[in-house]
Amino acid sequence: MLSLGMERCTHMFQFSGIKNCDQKRALIQGIYHLSGKYIGGSVYQTACTHLIIPHVLASEKFLASCAAGKWVVTPDYVLDSVRNGSWLPEGLYEVAIPRGTMSAFYPARHWRKNVTSGAITGAFQGWKVLLMVQDASRSIMFKRVLEAGTAIVYSYPPPSHTAITHVIVKPITQDASSHNGPCFPVTHIIQYLFGRNCVDMKFNVTDDINEAKEASVVDVDFSKLEGHLRDHVIEQEDRPRLLFLEFLSYHDPHHPLSQVIETDFGNIGTMIECGLFIEALDTIRSAVFPGILPPAPYLVALIEYAQQGSATTLFLRTFQQIMHRLLVANPPWLAPANVKKYYSRVLQCPHCKMGQWPFLETAISYCLSSEATCHQLPGPALPTLLNFYNDVLAFFLKLFQGELYSITGGDFMQLPETGVYQVSKSGSLLYRTFWTVWERSTLLSCAVKKLVQLMMQAASGDNAESDEEPKWHLLAILLDLLSVLVEFWYRHHCKLNHKLVEKGLKDLADHFAISSQYLSSVVLAEMVARISSTRLKLALVDAIFRNICCTIGITLAGEPLSLKKVMLSYLPALGRLAQSQSWTHHTTKSCSSLDTNCGTLSSVENESRKECIPRGLNKVNAAGETLLHRACKRNQVETVIQILERPGIDVNVKGSELLQQADEKGRTTLDLTSDTSERAELIHSAQVGDSKLNSAKVLNHALLEAGSCMLVHLLVCYQQEKGLPGSTLASDVGHTLVRGLEAHSLQRVTLGWTDQRAVSLADDTHTLLELARGKHSGQVCEAVKAYEGENTVILMVILGSMQSKGQTLLAEVNRY
């Protein structure tokens, strides 16, 4: 990626020690004038080909550039090249230390010539360094310098199979020489780079902290970037998830067709009384036009007749045609309140007259051969009545889809009589069906809960895993219905209270996950695949995956879903699922909370181990930190060891990799632990974890496939929903964000941002770039990577695709 950018641009500059803003501005303008590139940031970047410094100074960039064999030149090189109109030879502008009137020492020349000639790849070629610098920030700086010179750098403890050539320590302690390899102080790096000439240089090694703090004229205006990202997120949230273009042909009931004359419905009542139902239907069908509504009592009487179970196929087909024509000619979402009342009167049980939801619930229950109907119906299930209620369900779905279309397709019609737009969304038939006036602030109303329950009944029938079309047809309608009502409710509330909306969606997803935990993985996967709303699907698969983990004792952190959480928590959890022997869909235990540890120990075992459970083990604070995180930050070594020894604990990273995780100041657990015996005990615990992970095998194939299936849907939907760079995010904004994250830390880019959605998008992009560099590849255990199950293979392909997307982004940014 970086080499591609360097091939296209041979002059890529970094600065060090240039404090004057006017001078810096002139240099940058000159660089771009000659088609060069400037790379900002306070740390050395490998893409850099030229470092500009006013004189030799002790900075990370200077040491790293020398070690990497890069040009180190004075500012005059750029200024004189601009006057020349093209890049001049660099030799006359190399930074030097005068030794007298006739000689000078060029610190970078020796290594530059050797690297350029191909004799070496870097000053530290062949070095295998165990770096033990107590100050975390300086340790990271020395690591970058050493790696710039192509050294291989290890943190403590190094891999057992590696032959260490240099142990570089600060401060030097008595046990420093006990490690495998010769021990050196950090000054050895300078002595090796510059030999005896380092005496003339007279400096101590520092980093570019001051440069990081000073205001740079070329830094990206990150406040403007926040605004662009916020606008993008809002646009993403407002994007219609479900499109129904067929409603474009529906008519405006306030502009009846000119050729339509007033229709006489008087004889229809007589036909119905005489049992001439087909004739009555034909008369109604021929009289359905925009602005003309057949009297509601006639349709109610025809529905009552159909409920008796004696209607013919012709009757049902004709009645279905009438209802469809009525909806096309007089869509309630374009009509005044009296038309909505008309539909409300028709779409209820003629016998019970309790409203839309009891009628809809009865239709679903009868199709499930359930006796839970609003009143007793002919049974066992009659084919004609089954067909009728299937038609009722299809009509309700079409009606609700139309109402959703009216608020997502921009199809608001202005009423001629009043000169105002249609009534509020809360007055829609869908809203009246699923929410009472006391429930409208919550997504999970009583009717929605009941709909989920009926959905699980449809999925858990005896033939649910077969190809029996009626069962899957009913389930597909219910899933579509759930998608429509979620999208409708979300759009109604999202601009009023975004937090309330997110909580409502999570509550529904958790309820769905718990309700579905007794379904087989095959049926569950099929259900998820049939969900049409990506917003709903993302929430559901996240909740289902967390519930699966919960049932076998894996506790996942409770922070909001993010790409980093998937990489650092969900992928390692997948490996744990593959090794679990305690879960099948027939014996799943219920979890009262999806973020609570539901271990599989017996009551006796639980009682005996109760005293060993650290207090607050499963508590996650507002910053998303578990007890393990907090113990590491507070140097509570005994607590850390106790947690690591807990069975089923999810530390989010593997074994010794945990000890290399740093806090916001770059300090690792070992950096915070000064006692030698405590450090050794921590290392031993991590190594035990490593040995278990390395010997892991897939023991539960079904559970691994189920978990992989959920993560496949989760990653696909997450990318669609969040609009990461490289997908729906505008290329200029995406490239600006990537450049900012390349030159600065995530914390620097998002410093002062107040919109959490923009921060989350930046964090996701940062994780995507880390994935591009292969940072998170170790989160998936080798047994899972090698597994050949269909869903697991697809998951590996998606992860590879995301890595390629990140690499493409980096290549594009480096190209321009």
Side-chain angles (χ1 to χ4, degrees):
M1 296 173 290
L2 294 178
S3 61
L4 176 62
M6 290 177 66
E7 289 174 6
R8 292 180 175 270
C9 181
T10 58
H11 289 68
M12 303 181 71
F13 294 86
Q14 281 196 285
F15 298 163
S16 184
I18 299 177
K19 309 298 184 183
N20 185 281
C21 291
D22 292 334
Q23 182 185 21
K24 185 177 290 187
R25 183 183 296 107
L27 290 172
I28 293 168
Q29 290 174 347
I31 289 170
Y32 284 117
H33 178 72
L34 295 178
S35 300
K37 286 192 65 175
Y38 169 74
I39 306 174
S42 60
V43 302
Y44 170 76
Q45 300 288 336
T46 56
C48 169
T49 61
H50 295 68
L51 175 68
I52 297 180
I53 59 175
H55 51 77
V56 172
L57 52 90
S59 72
E60 171 193 328
K61 294 176 188 174
F62 173 71
L63 296 177
S65 296
C66 291
K70 306 296 178 68
W71 283 105
V72 181
V73 295
T74 64
D76 289 339
Y77 172 65
V78 174
L79 301 177
D80 290 351
S81 294
V82 172
R83 297 187 189 99
N84 182 62
S86 61
W87 292 116
L88 293 166
E90 292 92 337
L92 295 176
Y93 300 91
E94 275 192 287
V95 170
I97 298 176
R99 286 178 171 170
T101 57
M102 300 298 294
S103 65
F105 166 59
Y106 296 89
R109 180 172 291 181
H110 170 74
W111 298 112
R112 179 181 54 75
K113 287 184 174 181
N114 280 279
V115 171
T116 304
S117 66
I120 57 174
T121 57
F124 307 119
Q125 177 180 318
W127 286 29
K128 294 184 178 180
V129 181
L130 173 58
L131 188 61
M132 300 178 63
V133 177
Q134 193 167 18
D135 186 299
S137 62
R138 295 175 67 81
S139 177
I140 295 172
M141 182 199 73
F142 284 121
K143 184 174 186 290
R144 285 192 292 262
V145 171
L146 289 165
E147 289 180 339
T150 66
I152 300 174
V153 183
Y154 299 98
S155 298
Y156 189 82
S160 57
H161 57 79
T162 301
I164 299 297
T165 62
H166 296 71
V167 179
I168 295 181
V169 297
K170 184 178 181 179
I172 299 177
T173 58
Q174 291 183 351
D175 65 334
S177 59
S178 63
H179 303 291
N180 260 339
C183 184
F184 302 94
V186 292
T187 54
H188 179 71
I189 296 174
I190 301 174
Q191 292 170 349
Y192 181 81
L193 282 175
F194 309 119
R196 63 182 182 180
N197 296 292
C198 67
V199 177
D200 300 327
M201 302 175 78
K202 298 178 182 179
F203 57 65
N204 295 319
V205 180
T206 63
D207 52 18
D208 281 353
I209 294 177
N210 292 331
E211 283 195 17
K213 292 181 179 178
E214 68 174 292
S216 173
V217 295
V218 295
D219 280 349
V220 178
D221 188 342
F222 294 129
S223 62
K224 292 183 179 179
L225 178 59
E226 180 192 17
H228 293 318
L229 296 181
R230 180 181 62 248
D231 293 343
H232 169 71
V233 171
I234 293 174
E235 183 180 349
Q236 280 291 112
E237 290 176 347
D238 201 46
R239 173 179 54 85
R241 269 61 175 179
L242 306 175
L243 299 175
F244 310 105
L245 298 181
E246 66 269 25
F247 294 108
L248 287 170
S249 62
Y250 281 36
H251 301 286
D252 178 3
H254 306 288
H255 295 83
L257 300 179
S258 58
Q259 67 268 28
V260 176
I261 60 174
E262 187 175 349
T263 305
D264 181 14
F265 293 102
N267 59 342
I268 296 177
T270 304
M271 294 180 187
I272 294 175
E273 291 176 359
C274 296
L276 302 174
F277 298 107
I278 300 299
E279 290 77 3
L281 288 172
D282 288 338
T283 304
I284 294 175
R285 180 170 57 181
S286 63
V288 175
F289 293 101
I292 299 178
L293 297 170
Y298 298 155
L299 294 180
V300 170
L302 294 172
I303 291 175
E304 188 172 17
Y305 169 70
Q307 279 189 322
Q308 297 173 7
S310 55
T312 64
T313 303
L314 177 60
F315 174 94
L316 296 178
R317 184 169 63 248
T318 307
F319 185 77
Q320 182 185 26
Q321 292 172 355
I322 289 173
M323 295 302 293
H324 178 70
R325 286 191 180 186
L326 185 63
L327 191 61
V328 172
N330 297 277
W333 54 88
L334 300 179
N338 66 308
V339 177
K340 291 181 175 62
K341 291 179 180 179
Y342 173 86
Y343 278 96
S344 297
R345 184 178 177 186
V346 172
L347 295 176
Q348 62 178 335
C349 175
H351 184 272
C352 302
K353 298 180 180 179
M354 294 190 297
Q356 284 77 55
W357 170 245
F359 187 44
L360 183 58
E361 182 182 4
T362 290
I364 300 171
S365 297
Y366 195 84
C367 292
L368 290 172
S369 302
S370 170
E371 296 180 358
T373 55
C374 59
H375 68 280
Q376 188 173 1
L377 294 169
L382 301 176
T384 53
L385 196 49
L386 282 173
N387 291 336
F388 170 71
Y389 277 127
N390 270 299
D391 291 342
V392 169
L393 291 176
F395 181 80
F396 266 109
L397 177 60
K398 182 64 67 176
L399 171 62
F400 295 154
Q401 286 174 340
E403 289 192 320
L404 176 60
Y405 167 80
S406 72
I407 64 171
T408 58
D411 197 16
F412 291 92
M413 299 297 291
Q414 197 170 14
L415 305 183
E417 307 93 316
T418 61
V420 297
Y421 285 97
Q422 66 174 48
V423 295
S424 66
K425 302 161 195 167
S426 59
S428 67
L429 292 168
L430 187 152
Y431 227 82
R432 294 175 182 176
T433 301
F434 288 99
W435 292 276
T436 65
V437 292
W438 299 279
E439 294 178 318
R440 291 182 178 179
S441 62
T442 176
L443 174 57
L444 198 59
S445 65
C446 292
V448 175
K449 286 182 181 179
K450 187 62 178 180
L451 178 63
V452 172
Q453 179 185 338
L454 293 169
M455 196 179 301
M456 298 309 155
Q457 292 179 23
S460 60
D462 294 336
N463 298 318
E465 294 188 50
S466 70
D467 294 328
E468 184 185 0
E469 187 59 30
K471 181 67 68 174
W472 283 113
H473 174 70
L474 174 61
L475 195 54
I477 289 179
L478 299 183
L479 289 169
D480 285 343
L481 192 60
L482 184 63
S483 291
V484 169
L485 69 89
V486 166
E487 286 298 318
F488 193 94
W489 185 88
Y490 188 98
R491 295 186 69 85
H492 181 52
H493 289 281
C494 64
K495 294 181 179 180
L496 302 176
N497 190 331
H498 189 268
K499 290 185 178 179
L500 178 140
V501 166
E502 293 299 323
K503 183 181 183 303
L505 195 57
K506 183 180 183 300
D507 289 344
L508 171 62
D510 289 348
H511 179 76
F512 186 99
I514 294 174
S515 301
S516 65
Q517 61 187 351
Y518 294 99
L519 298 178
S520 73
S521 57
V522 175
V523 174
L524 196 55
E526 182 68 21
M527 286 181 67
V528 167
R530 290 175 182 243
I531 297 173
S532 51
S533 166
T534 53
R535 193 197 321 266
L536 174 62
K537 184 186 293 188
L538 178 61
L540 292 186
V541 294
D542 179 37
I544 292 170
F545 184 82
R546 288 186 286 113
N547 191 43
I548 292 174
C549 292
C550 175
T551 58
I552 66 167
I554 301 176
T555 303
L556 300 176
E559 73 269 11
L561 181 64
S562 66
L563 201 55
K564 181 176 291 184
K565 182 178 181 180
V566 174
M567 297 301 159
L568 297 183
S569 186
Y570 286 18
L571 291 181
L574 185 65
R576 298 269 302 282
L577 294 179
Q579 299 158 34
S580 171
Q581 295 178 315
S582 61
W583 183 94
T584 65
H585 71 272
H586 299 295
T587 59
T588 301
K589 297 180 182 180
S590 176
C591 295
S592 58
S593 171
L594 297 184
D595 291 325
T596 305
N597 188 359
C598 300
T600 57
L601 299 174
S602 67
S603 59
V604 176
E605 291 172 318
N606 270 324
E607 194 64 34
S608 64
R609 298 195 181 190
K610 189 173 182 180
E611 296 180 358
C612 300
I613 300 176
R615 184 177 179 181
L617 175 64
N618 301 311
K619 184 178 180 180
V620 179
N621 65 13
E625 297 172 334
T626 63
L627 179 62
L628 181 59
H629 296 135
R630 298 191 293 274
C632 289
K633 290 175 68 174
R634 296 170 183 170
N635 197 23
Q636 297 170 337
V637 179
E638 292 183 1
T639 303
V640 172
I641 295 172
Q642 195 176 3
I643 295 173
L644 289 174
E645 291 176 346
R646 285 285 303 154
I649 192 66
D650 177 23
V651 296
N652 293 339
V653 288
K654 304 190 298 182
S656 59
E657 187 177 343
L658 171 66
L659 302 183
Q660 300 175 21
Q661 301 301 302
D663 62 11
E664 69 279 0
K665 296 182 179 179
R667 298 174 298 183
T668 65
T669 304
L670 295 177
D671 293 331
L672 299 172
T673 308
S674 56
D675 186 86
T676 305
S677 61
E678 291 175 345
R679 290 167 64 96
E681 201 163 354
L682 280 174
I683 293 165
H684 173 71
S685 297
Q687 289 173 341
V688 170
D690 283 341
S691 63
K692 291 181 179 179
L693 287 168
N694 292 334
S695 60
K697 297 180 180 179
V698 176
L699 302 178
N700 197 322
H701 303 272
L703 189 53
L704 172 58
E705 277 291 277
S708 295
C709 176
M710 294 304 114
L711 291 186
V712 164
H713 287 293
L714 188 146
L715 287 173
V716 171
C717 291
Y718 193 87
Q719 294 180 79
Q720 292 175 337
E721 282 294 304
K722 302 303 180 181
L724 301 178
S727 54
T728 60
L729 182 61
S731 59
D732 56 340
V733 178
H735 289 170
T736 300
L737 176 58
V738 172
R739 277 193 292 268
L741 292 172
E742 278 287 271
H744 307 273
S745 67
L746 174 65
Q747 290 75 17
R748 168 65 184 85
V749 172
T750 59
L751 183 64
W753 287 13
T754 58
D755 192 291
Q756 187 55 45
R757 294 169 296 182
V759 173
S760 297
L761 181 54
D763 183 57
D764 286 338
T765 305
H766 181 258
T767 303
L768 184 65
L769 297 180
E770 289 182 332
L771 186 64
R773 301 185 184 96
K775 181 173 181 179
H776 300 299
S777 59
Q779 301 297 340
V780 184
C781 71
E782 295 301 323
V784 172
K785 290 180 181 178
Y787 188 67
E788 297 183 356
E790 179 182 2
N791 293 321
T792 307
V793 169
I794 294 175
L795 176 60
M796 296 302 109
V797 170
I798 290 175
L799 290 173
S801 175
M802 293 178 66
Q803 184 178 24
S804 298
K805 181 185 292 186
Q807 292 170 346
T808 301
L809 276 172
L810 289 173
E812 289 175 351
V813 167
N814 289 327
R815 185 179 303 126
Y816 300 106

